[in-house]
Amino acid sequence: MSRVLITSAIPYINGIKHLGNLVGSMLPADLYARYRRGRGDEVLFLCATDEHGTPAEIAAQKAGKPVAEYCAEMWQTQKDLSDGFLLSFDKFGRSSSAQNRQLTQHFAAKLYEAGLIEERTETQVYSNADGRFLPDRYIEGTCPNCGYDKARGDQCENCTKQLDPVDLIEPRSAISGSTDLEVRETKHLYLLQSKMRDDLRNWIDTREDWPILTTSIAKKWLDDGDGLQDRGITRDLDWGVPVKKGDAEWPGMEGKVFYVWFDAPIEYIACAKEWTDANGLGDADWQRWWRTEHGADDVRYVQFMGKDNVPFHTLSFPVTIMGANSTGEDWKLVDYIKSFNYLNYDGGQFSTSQGRGVFMDQALSILPADYWRWYLLRNAPENGDSEFTWETFQAASNRDLADVLGNFVSRVTKFCRSKFDETVPEGGTYGPEEEAVIADLTTRVAEYTRLMDAIEIRKAAAELRAIWVVGNEYLQRTAPWSAFKEDPDRAAAIIRLSLNLIRLYGILSQPFIPDAADAMLKAMRTDAAWPNDVEQALAALPAGHAFDVPENLFAKITDDQREDWASRFSGTRT
Ligand SMILES: [Zn+2]
């Protein structure tokens, strides 16, 4: 048995995620977690909400709520939706947790001890009306270059010129609109990432099994100067992890918080402690996943994320881990990073800010999770961006799920009930047809297993579909409904193998379509042991074993439904 730690990039708190977000990290991470559990591995699967930072404060203000209350509510919303999509996290935590606060402060102390944190004094714009410092992009004014009157302090959207807040003509707060602004001195902590360049390069260069998408992004950022600059890790805000050096005060940093990008990845670790705390376990129980000298040396740690998150996970977070380890600690570095391109929507991009596309709550309001999971995973944007269209969604659901898998299960179980009864029929023996199916599936299941091990999601989905097709073609060739008239024993043998195929499909399909898979296994009244030996697995249900005829697993999507949904989700969400 192996031990596998799996994390999904943590979604930001300020709103409901769209299907592009879902397939870019959480859903494939769930696929892999379910697969590893199915293989009998010990899995810890973690995700959380990323709750700190100015966007959360602004969203709370818009909603007219205190930011802590807003985050608590949005966490519940996101938790309910992740349950709705059957995401099997062991813990869905919160980066605002007490556990993350304590760990973030701990890592800051260790990085300071390692000589990787420096205090720097700088100037920043302060809004008297808002009573706070303003991040560059929350200062608006007129662009000195093109005259656009809604230019932001970091960049003019109109002419794309990079700006400094002091460049703006008639600057004002984007929060309140106040022009009562002044430039003040303030002190911040900087993480000296550039000091770790060689260590990072040595590490990344030896990750030979990583996907090209991951290493190409990591190396680009490592070398082009922008990625590995020393970066501020503190902010003059109220909402966040207070700046402390471990448990101790940090003189001169009173009233400041850590910048969200510093504390968010530490939540991967804190989430494990949230998990043990919530389950009455001790610190040793999470440390055996995260600390190599505390039991985690045999853990394989796999991260899932969209490509925009790769720089943080290959450079910044590893600086935190390696830096703390340089003081004698033993935190685990990631072993494998699976990254994704983008899913586009009907010829454009999904957009949270513009409300464009299908969002997780909307998706579940029209169809159960399995339909979405199957479509999104079989089209996962692994080797390039992929495209959501309602036509391909309808086609994939109808052809793969309803026509191939659902139809097979329905025909076999209903035929058996009408000609025999609701038990696996006895009589007849397996001949060349059955031997061919067993041989074919032995090869295919081995290939499916290899692809799932390699997290080659699209290819694994195609192989799974091919495995379903084997059953349908077998049924077509052997035609038990005809055989029954001449030779009921022959029909019995065909149906006996077919009922065992339903069990096999239930086990193999579980990572992709867990609800339907569970329904199949429940109907067959059977367990879900992984079929390491296909011939044995296809004899698991002996003659006389009772089963139930399940409800139809999948409904077909009609053209009317497709057109209705396409028009409902064509505009922007209000
Ligand atoms: Zn401009």
Side-chain angles (χ1 to χ4, degrees), residues 143-148 151 156-161 163:
C143 174
N145 188 44
C146 73
Y148 179 61
C156 174
E157 263 184 356
N158 190 47
C159 71
T160 74
K161 187 178 168 61
L163 297 171

Side-chain angles (χ1 to χ4, degrees), residues 30-263:
D30 182 69
L31 177 84
Y32 189 60
R34 287 177 175 276
Y35 168 68
R36 301 274 22 145
R37 290 191 200 107
R39 294 293 306 277
D41 292 342
E42 188 185 1
V43 170
L44 183 62
F45 179 26
L46 304 173
C47 190
T49 40
D50 175 7
E51 302 194 0
H52 292 136
T54 311
E57 289 187 300
I58 304 279
Q61 203 171 46
K62 271 189 189 161
K65 289 177 180 163
V67 63
E69 186 184 322
Y70 170 83
C71 287
E73 285 177 16
M74 282 309 302
W75 175 86
Q76 189 62 55
T77 299
Q78 295 205 19
K79 170 77 169 79
D80 292 346
L81 289 169
S82 78
D83 290 346
F85 274 93
L86 311 171
L87 304 178
S88 58
F89 306 129
D90 291 295
K91 179 70 185 176
F92 187 63
R94 303 181 59 185
S95 72
S96 65
S97 66
Q99 290 88 344
N100 195 39
R101 179 185 315 170
Q102 193 262 329
L103 263 174
T104 299
Q105 292 166 343
H106 171 83
F107 274 106
K110 288 283 144 188
L111 292 168
Y112 184 80
E113 183 186 329
L116 290 169
I117 286 182
E118 187 176 276
E119 297 177 7
R120 293 184 188 170
T121 300
E122 56 194 46
T123 56
Q124 204 184 338
V125 173
Y126 185 87
S127 165
N128 287 305
D130 297 304
R132 57 182 284 173
F133 285 96
L134 297 176
D136 291 354
R137 63 197 180 104
Y138 287 99
I139 305 162
E140 283 181 355
T142 300
C143 174
N145 188 44
C146 73
Y148 179 61
D149 68 356
K150 288 193 185 64
R152 292 188 323 208
D154 55 348
Q155 190 180 21
C156 174
E157 263 184 356
N158 190 47
C159 71
T160 74
K161 187 178 168 61
Q162 304 274 320
L163 297 171
D164 201 69
V166 296
D167 298 335
L168 293 170
I169 300 159
E170 292 174 6
R172 60 185 182 274
S173 161
I175 298 170
S176 63
S178 168
T179 56
D180 184 10
L181 308 179
E182 64 183 59
V183 175
R184 287 190 185 177
E185 279 204 337
T186 181
K187 197 158 83 172
H188 283 296
L189 301 182
Y190 274 72
L191 183 62
L192 306 183
Q193 301 192 110
S194 56
K195 275 190 164 181
M196 297 293 282
R197 192 184 305 269
D198 289 343
D199 297 87
L200 288 168
R201 189 190 314 282
N202 290 338
W203 177 61
I204 292 166
D205 279 349
T206 53
R207 303 302 102 182
E208 284 162 4
D209 65 329
W210 281 8
I212 292 167
L213 182 64
T214 304
T215 40
S216 62
I217 295 172
K219 286 183 178 173
K220 177 179 177 295
W221 282 74
L222 185 65
D223 291 320
D224 82 349
D226 275 356
L228 207 63
Q229 285 175 359
D230 300 336
R231 294 186 55 139
I233 57 165
T234 53
R235 280 292 182 270
D236 291 288
L237 294 177
D238 297 326
W239 177 238
V241 174
V243 177
K244 283 187 157 189
K245 205 180 282 176
D247 296 334
E249 293 303 322
W250 200 311
M253 299 304 295
E254 296 83 1
K256 296 173 196 281
V257 298
F258 287 105
Y259 194 14
V260 57
W261 74 259
F262 183 69
D263 77 68

